[in-house]
Amino acid sequence: MNTTARLAPFQPFPAWTWHVPEFFNIGAACTDAHLGTEVENRIAMIVEDDYLGTVFITYSQLAQRTSQFAQLLRKQGVEPGDRVLIRLPNSIDYPTAFLGAMKAGCIAVPTSTLLTAEEVLYLAKDSGAKVLVMDKATWPQLSPQLSSHVADTADALSINLILLSGEGPPVDSDAFMVLDLDPALAAITAWSAAHATHANDPAYLVYTSGTTGYPKGVLHAHRALIGREPAAEYWFNFDSRQVDRILHSGKFNWTYVLGSGLMDPLYRGKTVIVHEGKNDANLWTQLIAKHQATIFIGVPTIYRQIVQKTTTTKVDVPTLRFCMSAGEHLSDDMLAAWRTRFGMDIFEAVGMSEFSYYLSQSIHRPIRAGSAGFAQPGHDIKLLNPDTGEAVASGEEGMIAVPDTDPGLFLRYWNLPDETAKYKHDGYFFTGDYAKVDDDGYLWFLGRRDDIIKSFGYRVSPYEVERVLKSHPGVADCACVGEEIEKNKLIVVAYVITQADHPVSANELLTFGQQHLAAYKAPKRIYLARDFPRTKNGKILRREISPSMAVTKSG
């Protein structure tokens, strides 16, 4: 069933025609394509850094800097198709490396600065990255573990070049070629044109929570940027009469921000504003006012903080005209509170690492609180019964399926051919997400039928948390679940059965999780339990776990 076909009270969306050229390069499309136009001298990006202050770069400067980065890779023997692992805070160097790697024909691999050394090591090995780009301040914590794996021929890294961003003295290493990024780029005075990538060539590789306990690589083609055009038209509300300034509250490593806060605006010659440093509720409205932002993009948690912890109103942010949200569901109460305070709607979207944001509310339809809105034109989304492959009727729950011809769809799972075949077959990508459509064509997103936890906008795999906790000698078994502490607010918690001969406290396990997992993945509470509810086959029934079965807890 084509979910955009039932729009009873409304006029149908205009027909969408895809235009995917044979050759296309995301890096060049976001930078070089603007040279020689009125956009050339426009500010492309503003970074508000708590330490460095306000930093900005124009489109012409970004085009040059990304070309220098691409040429630096070529000079160091990095070839098209090689992976470039990026572990940077929000900074000008993030688009420099991300877009520059793609201009060289390489595959950019964005990662989070929150990841531990162990997690970075796993991604470096799984991706087979040849280059690591990271900030100089955190290099000392990562260097020993990476260096120890260079000499281990049985478990060796492919990385041979480290590019360090930020201030500080030069850094040497016996294990790697280490270069300071700024002087290395400054030494590049001539460069080749961007690599002539085909639209279907690999462009970037993002990692998402997997069901095996390890992050899963999702490989996207350069055409992914073209596949995002319906979102730019039917989720964003760009104004052709002015130069929009888009403030995004997230970090570039997240696919939500990579798309809506980096690639989409730069492709269209807009100005992007991001922040690096400590977050507080007043920060975002202050930045909107300071930089005269016209569009604000965040997660429900940020909107909740602004409403509950500030007295800001529309008078304080007169340039703001459009607000967007994704990552988790925005509650009806919060939407109503925002409307009361600011006299504006917040337009939500639903997406995934494999397909970006394809369901959204928009100015073209009234918002129906709780609904995900509509499938954007161009995305011929269907709701299918996964057992029969048949379309479900209006009001019935079906799995969201995407035709495998959609330009926005990922290429494949990295190093996981069986996983790719499991979800991409019979002409569709079966997302695993379920939804239903009402008689007016509104989609009601129901989510997955697996155990992925959505906590403060992050997707956390319980299997990954459990895998780490089980590595502690005092853990016999464990189960990770989401615990609702307030309406629409989940935290990650873990229930642990300890080894009889190796007693360990809940607080010790809480610290262990914090040491070995990124902050957003690490359990916020640990409960010690004697047993878990299980199926006849011994599988833990996570949905039946509750604090009532805990013997003790952390804190």
Side-chain angles (χ1 to χ4, degrees):
M1 177 181 63
N2 185 332
T3 59
T4 60
R6 297 181 58 87
L7 304 173
F10 314 114
Q11 292 297 315
F13 284 121
W16 185 275
T17 302
W18 291 108
H19 299 285
V20 182
E22 180 181 359
F23 293 95
F24 188 76
N25 184 288
I26 291 176
C30 291
T31 59
D32 296 354
H34 300 303
L35 297 178
T37 74
E38 61 180 5
V39 177
E40 183 175 28
N41 296 316
R42 183 178 298 164
I43 294 176
M45 181 172 294
I46 300 171
V47 180
E48 276 287 345
D49 189 295
D50 287 354
Y51 176 71
L52 298 174
T54 306
V55 184
F56 68 89
I57 190 169
T58 66
Y59 273 95
S60 61
Q61 292 168 333
L62 184 59
Q64 175 176 318
R65 193 170 174 81
T66 50
S67 291
Q68 288 171 315
F69 186 91
Q71 196 66 25
L72 175 61
L73 295 182
R74 298 183 189 106
K75 182 180 177 182
Q76 295 298 324
V78 182
E79 299 180 351
D82 286 345
R83 274 73 69 201
V84 178
L85 191 68
I86 304 167
R87 186 178 185 264
L88 292 171
N90 279 357
S91 63
I92 299 300
D93 286 340
Y94 213 112
T96 297
F98 181 69
L99 301 174
M102 290 187 284
K103 287 174 84 168
C106 298
I107 300 174
V109 187
T111 64
S112 172
T113 55
L114 297 176
L115 299 182
T116 65
E118 295 171 51
E119 292 171 309
V120 173
L121 193 61
Y122 173 79
L123 298 188
K125 290 177 182 177
D126 188 68
S127 66
K130 296 288 185 67
V131 183
L132 171 62
V133 189
M134 66 174 295
D135 62 304
K136 191 176 293 185
T138 57
W139 170 243
Q141 289 78 49
L142 190 60
S143 176
Q145 289 210 42
L146 292 183
S147 299
S148 68
H149 283 265
V150 171
D152 185 355
T153 56
D155 195 22
L157 288 171
S158 299
I159 292 174
N160 51 42
L161 175 63
I162 307 290
L163 299 175
L164 295 181
S165 164
E167 298 181 352
V171 177
D172 292 322
S173 171
D174 295 332
F176 305 99
M177 166 73 77
V178 180
L179 298 176
D180 273 7
L181 184 59
D182 277 343
L185 293 179
I188 303 294
T189 57
W191 47 84
S192 303
H195 189 75
T197 51
H198 289 83
N200 208 47
D201 285 344
Y204 60 97
L205 174 65
V206 295
Y207 278 85
T208 186
S209 295
T211 56
T212 62
Y214 291 93
K216 180 167 60 177
V218 179
L219 184 63
H220 280 279
H222 286 272
R223 57 170 163 75
L225 181 56
I226 297 173
R228 296 181 59 85
E229 288 184 347
E233 181 72 22
Y234 290 95
W235 180 31
F236 274 97
N237 182 25
F238 290 130
D239 191 338
S240 60
R241 299 165 298 178
Q242 67 178 97
V243 179
D244 277 309
R245 290 182 158 223
I246 298 101
L247 173 63
H248 205 305
S249 66
K251 301 293 185 182
F252 282 137
N253 62 274
W254 191 10
T255 51
Y256 177 20
V257 191
L258 273 178
S260 58
L262 181 67
M263 290 187 286
D264 291 343
L266 294 184
Y267 186 33
R268 287 156 185 82
K270 310 299 181 181
T271 297
V272 174
I273 309 160
V274 292
H275 172 259
E276 180 58 39
K278 293 183 178 180
N279 170 24
D280 67 65
N282 286 292
L283 171 71
W284 305 111
T285 50
Q286 290 171 352
L287 292 181
I288 291 170
K290 177 178 179 178
H291 296 291
Q292 299 183 320
T294 58
I295 297 175
F296 179 61
I297 309 177
V299 295
T301 299
I302 297 294
Y303 288 104
R304 188 182 303 115
Q305 289 174 352
I306 293 172
V307 167
Q308 295 177 349
K309 298 181 180 181
T310 80
T311 58
T312 307
T313 67
K314 184 65 169 68
V315 174
D316 302 302
V317 286
T319 60
L320 182 65
R321 62 174 185 78
F322 195 69
C323 298
M324 300 158 65
S325 179
E328 58 182 308
H329 175 58
L330 182 79
S331 69
D332 298 354
D333 292 345
M334 187 49 54
L335 175 60
W338 189 266
R339 283 170 168 169
T340 299
R341 179 81 69 86
F342 291 91
M344 304 173 65
D345 284 324
I346 300 172
F347 293 86
E348 288 190 84
V350 171
M352 58 194 312
S353 298
E354 293 88 343
F355 192 41
S356 191
Y357 293 90
Y358 60 99
L359 307 178
S360 64
Q361 301 164 345
S362 79
I363 61 171
H364 304 284
R365 298 284 188 269
I367 290 178
R368 189 165 289 179
S371 167
F374 298 82
Q376 296 154 1
H379 299 315
D380 188 20
I381 306 303
K382 298 184 184 298
L383 301 184
L384 303 179
N385 181 324
D387 297 324
T388 65
E390 298 294 324
V392 300
S394 177
E396 292 184 3
E397 181 178 326
M399 183 185 287
I400 300 172
V402 184
D404 61 12
T405 55
D406 194 301
L409 194 60
F410 76 123
L411 287 169
R412 63 181 182 275
Y413 292 116
W414 187 258
N415 294 333
L416 295 170
D418 291 343
E419 190 82 352
T420 303
K422 178 181 177 181
Y423 291 99
K424 290 184 79 172
H425 56 84
D426 298 318
Y428 288 97
F429 167 56
F430 292 85
T431 65
D433 286 326
Y434 285 77
K436 59 183 179 180
V437 62
D438 64 24
D439 290 337
D440 294 332
Y442 282 85
L443 276 156
W444 299 82
F445 187 76
L446 304 173
R448 303 185 72 84
R449 288 181 176 173
D450 57 25
D451 297 310
I452 295 293
I453 303 164
K454 281 192 173 182
S455 178
F456 298 98
Y458 292 100
R459 287 172 55 82
V460 180
S461 167
Y463 307 97
E464 186 175 1
V465 178
E466 291 164 8
R467 175 180 58 81
V468 170
L469 290 179
K470 286 177 181 177
S471 70
H472 190 287
V475 174
D477 204 355
C478 64
C480 176
V481 297
E483 180 175 307
E484 189 172 52
I485 56 173
E486 293 180 19
K487 186 179 180 181
N488 296 313
K489 186 183 290 186
L490 286 178
I491 61 171
V492 178
V493 303
Y495 290 75
V496 175
I497 300 172
T498 61
Q499 297 282 8
D501 59 351
H502 196 300
V504 60
S505 71
N507 285 332
E508 285 177 288
L509 292 174
L510 192 71
T511 300
F512 182 82
Q514 293 167 346
Q515 292 172 340
H516 296 274
L517 287 161
Y520 68 89
K521 300 178 186 177
K524 303 302 180 288
R525 291 176 185 165
I526 298 286
Y527 295 94
L528 300 186
R530 292 192 176 93
D531 201 0
F532 300 134
R534 301 174 186 268
T535 66
K536 292 181 180 180
N537 295 325
K539 183 179 179 181
I540 297 173
L541 293 169
R542 288 184 177 81
R543 290 178 177 82
E544 295 185 13
I545 293 176
S546 70
S548 63
M549 65 181 60
V551 177
T552 184
K553 71 175 182 178
S554 58

